[in-house]
Amino acid sequence: MFKVPVRTKMEQKFLQRALSTPNAIFYAINKTFENVGKNKKFYYDFVLEGYSEAIDELTNILYAKKDRDEACIGFRIYGMDIYSGEIRLCMNKEYKTEPIPNGMRFEFEASDGESVALFYYLEDNLESDDYIEALNTIKKKIDGRGYEGLLTECEENYKSFFALGYVETPDKKLNEIYKTSLYDLKCYTTKYSIPIGLNNGYWHGRYFAFDEYYSFYALLGANRLELAKRVPTFRADVCLETAIQYGSDCHKREETQEMAKFLWETGEKADIELSPIGTWLDHVFHMPVIGLGAFEFYEYTRDKDFLKKCYRMIRACAKYFTNYMVYRDGERFYIGKCTDLERLGAAVENPFMTSCGAIKLLECCAKASEILEIDKDYRKECRFIASELRKSLPVENDMYVPHTGYTQKSIAVFAGKFPFHIIDSNDKKLLNAWEDFEKHGEKYGNMYPMGRKISPWYACWKAISYARANMPEKAYHALTESYESAGVFHEMFEINEPAVRIKPWFTTACGMFISSVNEMLLQSDGKTVNILPAFPLEKGDISFKLAIKGGAVAEVKIKDRKLVHLCITSNGEDVTKNFDILFKGKKYR
């Protein structure tokens, strides 16, 4: 962790603006000094710090020097691999430097009303040994644009980002949380994928295939396709080979026999399990969302080449289930023991959520095979097993239950609608299961046995499930349950209660919230577009711009409960006539 504490030799007020530029590894902070008085000397201490006392053992400062108008700190970090790199800093005025333990001091003078900018940028050899050239390129940009020019560029980038899609409703709280959640995902999306957060308190920025799906799906529906694409691309390009080595018989490496078990937690290189020992290592429900995400990207974009690229991954995930996880007892097919949601404990048999995931994964694999016109025999096997698994989903007292022999209630009973959408909205066993959970939701409202209320991402999990079941009042009520947990900046927490506050700016909850709103306002299947399937119409005027399945974007305005504007475009062309339109579930044209 890099920390820049500000030290002054006297008390004073100052104004500051900070920026971090998209797609570039540099930061800047601009301070306007006021009431300086006679003593105009100030200094910054730039210190390399860590989350434990072991930082001195794990990190070496190789040098700290000033080279012309840049300060340079060379470092080497000892982790699972050894990385070297350089931190550079510069200011928009004259300054002096001196080394201090684990860092460098910057001394400068400032007069009353003067604005002083500090720029900080770094590169390492994670991907290339030529990081010095990358640093030189950044410096040229700083010199050419200056703080104000970079700030303008940053503002333009965010303006373009928010113009890709939007949601405006009469519910101001909803609007603010939605925008903040989009901002959160924009900030945390790396060139690899989307971690839960980017600091040591968020599992050290590691990537969870399960959690990243919810951010992916939110960005997909919100028409941030380039950012969304990074998630399945990361899994297919970076993680797949390790997953196949982990899941396959090493003596049968031909592609038709490949099976993939993806790591539960991974870093950018994805070559080793980064999770500590625990029951989560027996999760398998992240493989279904990996396959589902790749297929859903095709559904939204109609990018057949991308589907072809990802088919090997989808198939290997499916093959892991058909070979390892599907058990047969006479005519009955079911998913064997594994860890489902962690609160349910280890080694649960016939788990509802994992079973729904397996069914959806096999169905996606079969659909992808059909679209690509390949793999006919395995397509048939996938459809047969998926059909048989549907018959054995765990049921007690005319309702779906978390698993065979369950003792706890679980949000998992909503998984048949989201993320896996395999159960009919009129299935009474599903509706009974939801009603049962609502009676006990506060007691079982978090991933772990803590807190007294339902967590924001569980509330949104319910909301999107109710939306897919076309239940607007329940969907909206569930969504509003998450409001109480929003922070002062409208950011989503993992849990936010007076006695338990953990992980603000939690990307999983942000993704869940965005997806809930998206599907309350708009649902599509590539042929039909359903406008306002699950948003209470009496709430007032609504407008939005969201992506739909079929490679298009829908822009909608509703005023006085009437649809006054609808335009569906694809690559700049109006394709509204190509879709059947429903408004509030009824045929519009």
Side-chain angles (χ1 to χ4, degrees):
M1 178 173 68
F2 301 105
K3 182 180 179 183
V4 187
V6 180
R7 318 266 188 204
T8 64
K9 299 205 173 173
M10 60 175 293
E11 292 242 352
Q12 62 179 302
K13 294 166 60 180
F14 57 82
L15 304 175
Q16 71 176 49
R17 288 187 295 173
L19 72 95
S20 60
T21 64
N23 303 316
I25 308 172
F26 72 90
Y27 303 87
I29 186 166
N30 187 68
K31 297 182 183 293
T32 301
F33 290 82
E34 295 184 346
N35 302 321
V36 169
K38 295 181 180 180
N39 193 340
K40 299 181 179 181
K41 293 184 178 180
F42 305 94
Y43 62 85
Y44 292 105
D45 280 352
F46 188 90
V47 183
L48 184 63
E49 292 191 342
Y51 57 90
S52 72
E53 295 180 358
I55 187 68
D56 291 333
E57 300 173 9
L58 301 176
T59 305
N60 291 158
I61 300 296
L62 303 180
Y63 52 83
K65 61 183 181 179
K66 186 178 179 184
D67 185 6
R68 296 188 298 275
D69 61 344
E70 290 179 288
C72 308
I73 302 174
F75 64 87
R76 182 174 293 132
I77 295 176
Y78 300 89
M80 289 177 293
D81 292 301
I82 300 174
Y83 298 108
S84 298
E86 190 172 272
I87 303 161
R88 291 190 187 178
L89 301 101
C90 63
M91 300 180 71
N92 63 348
K93 66 173 300 158
E94 290 294 321
Y95 63 96
K96 296 179 180 179
T97 65
E98 64 176 276
I100 58 176
N102 283 345
M104 182 177 284
R105 174 167 292 179
F106 294 76
E107 295 184 354
F108 60 96
E109 292 186 0
S111 16
D112 198 40
E114 183 179 6
S115 292
V116 179
L118 172 73
F119 302 90
Y120 151 64
Y121 39 111
L122 68 91
E123 270 292 353
D124 59 38
N125 65 347
L126 172 64
E127 295 179 336
S128 172
D129 289 330
D130 194 18
Y131 58 87
I132 297 297
E133 182 59 34
L135 289 166
N136 291 337
T137 300
I138 293 173
K139 182 61 164 62
K140 289 178 183 177
K141 187 170 186 177
I142 292 171
D143 290 342
R145 299 226 171 192
Y147 182 85
E148 293 300 329
L150 292 169
L151 181 63
T152 299
E153 180 183 336
C154 185
E155 290 170 346
E156 290 173 350
N157 281 328
Y158 275 103
K159 185 177 179 180
S160 298
F161 172 74
F162 283 106
L164 290 170
Y166 60 86
V167 164
E168 291 293 338
T169 75
D171 186 336
K172 303 303 181 185
K173 187 75 170 179
L174 181 156
N175 298 343
E176 291 296 339
I177 297 175
Y178 189 93
K179 290 175 184 175
T180 300
S181 295
L182 278 175
Y183 169 77
D184 192 13
L185 296 188
K186 167 68 172 171
C187 291
Y188 279 149
T189 301
T190 74
K191 63 182 178 181
Y192 305 98
S193 184
I194 309 173
I196 290 169
L198 278 174
N199 61 56
N200 296 322
Y202 295 73
W203 293 275
H204 314 288
R206 296 193 287 264
Y207 298 96
F208 292 74
F210 178 70
D211 288 80
E212 71 188 5
Y213 169 80
Y214 300 104
S215 299
F216 155 82
Y217 190 68
L219 292 169
L220 193 62
N223 196 38
R224 274 70 179 183
L225 303 181
E226 188 275 327
L227 294 182
K229 188 178 182 179
R230 297 183 192 185
V231 175
T233 298
F234 175 63
R235 293 292 156 182
D237 288 354
V238 181
C239 305
L240 181 57
E241 291 302 327
T242 298
I244 289 172
Q245 290 176 21
Y246 189 13
S248 295
D249 183 339
C250 63
H251 301 294
K252 296 179 180 178
R253 284 307 307 274
E254 62 267 25
E255 191 165 315
T256 58
Q257 296 299 318
E258 286 180 343
M259 296 166 281
K261 184 177 183 186
F262 282 81
L263 305 176
W264 181 239
E265 299 179 35
T266 188
E268 290 82 0
K269 295 180 71 174
D271 56 353
I272 191 170
E273 176 63 67
L274 297 180
S275 172
I277 297 298
T279 58
W280 42 80
L281 291 174
D282 292 325
H283 283 315
V284 292
F285 55 46
H286 52 307
M287 267 80 80
V289 295
I290 289 170
L292 173 60
F295 186 75
E296 285 176 327
F297 189 83
Y298 163 77
E299 288 188 301
Y300 272 86
T301 64
R302 287 297 188 259
D303 187 341
K304 197 169 180 180
D305 289 337
F306 188 76
L307 180 64
K308 185 176 181 180
K309 167 186 172 178
C310 290
Y311 181 72
R312 179 188 176 206
M313 177 175 72
I314 297 170
R315 190 188 195 281
C317 288
K319 195 74 174 176
Y320 184 86
F321 272 84
T322 55
N323 278 30
Y324 287 156
M325 295 307 303
V326 176
Y327 286 70
R328 185 170 182 175
D329 181 7
E331 296 300 313
R332 176 174 169 260
F333 288 70
Y334 65 96
I335 297 297
K337 291 183 178 181
C338 60
T339 301
D340 201 70
L341 289 174
E342 289 158 25
R343 189 164 179 172
L344 296 172
V348 299
E349 185 173 296
N350 197 18
F352 181 77
M353 179 172 170
T354 302
S355 299
C356 290
I359 293 166
K360 188 65 176 181
L361 173 62
L362 297 178
E363 291 178 347
C364 284
C365 186
K367 289 178 183 177
S369 163
E370 189 169 33
I371 292 164
L372 298 172
E373 299 180 316
I374 58 174
D375 217 2
K376 185 176 180 180
D377 291 341
Y378 191 58
R379 181 195 318 164
K380 183 177 180 181
E381 180 182 347
C382 284
R383 283 181 169 151
F384 171 74
I385 294 176
S387 176
E388 293 300 311
L389 287 173
R390 284 177 176 272
K391 300 174 186 177
S392 62
L393 290 170
V395 176
E396 290 186 21
N397 300 320
D398 200 31
M399 66 180 182
Y400 294 116
V401 296
H403 60 87
T404 300
Y406 78 104
T407 57
Q408 298 186 63
K409 310 296 182 182
S410 176
I411 190 72
V413 295
F414 285 84
K417 273 297 182 187
F418 182 76
F420 300 121
H421 209 354
I422 64 159
I423 299 178
D424 187 87
S425 299
N426 297 317
D427 189 326
K428 292 209 174 158
K429 296 188 291 296
L430 182 68
L431 300 179
N432 290 342
W434 289 0
E435 183 179 354
D436 182 68
F437 181 80
E438 292 287 13
K439 293 177 182 177
H440 307 281
E442 291 189 355
K443 184 177 179 181
Y444 299 98
N446 286 296
M447 176 67 77
Y448 312 105
M450 60 175 66
R452 297 178 176 272
K453 299 178 180 178
I454 191 160
S455 66
W457 67 290
Y458 274 25
C460 294
W461 195 336
K462 293 193 304 176
I464 191 170
S465 299
Y466 285 131
R468 289 183 170 185
N470 301 314
M471 302 168 73
E473 287 75 20
K474 286 185 176 292
Y476 186 73
H477 175 74
L479 185 73
T480 59
E481 285 183 291
S482 71
Y483 291 6
E484 189 176 345
S485 296
V488 293
F489 300 106
H490 310 288
E491 76 276 19
M492 288 277 96
F493 283 66
E494 182 178 20
I495 304 174
N496 185 14
E497 299 180 23
V500 186
R501 285 192 175 95
I502 56 174
K503 296 180 178 62
W505 305 96
F506 182 52
T507 59
T508 308
C510 292
M512 289 280 206
F513 188 92
I514 293 168
S515 294
S516 299
V517 175
N518 290 349
E519 296 217 6
M520 289 168 68
L521 296 174
L522 186 70
Q523 295 177 27
S524 59
D525 61 9
K527 297 179 180 179
T528 301
V529 177
N530 192 352
I531 300 167
L532 251 58
F535 196 91
L537 190 58
E538 66 273 9
K539 294 297 178 184
D541 298 344
I542 299 165
S543 61
F544 56 85
K545 179 182 178 182
L546 298 170
I548 62 172
K549 294 180 179 179
V553 178
E555 194 158 12
V556 174
K557 290 184 181 179
I558 297 156
K559 188 174 180 60
D560 297 328
R561 302 191 180 193
K562 295 180 181 179
L563 179 58
V564 297
H565 175 75
L566 168 64
C567 183
I568 301 174
T569 58
S570 179
N571 297 319
E573 180 184 353
D574 188 335
V575 294
T576 309
K577 63 183 180 181
N578 296 345
F579 294 86
D580 295 325
I581 308 299
L582 300 178
F583 180 53
K584 294 295 292 181
K586 297 180 180 178
K587 190 169 183 180
Y588 183 74
R589 64 159 182 77

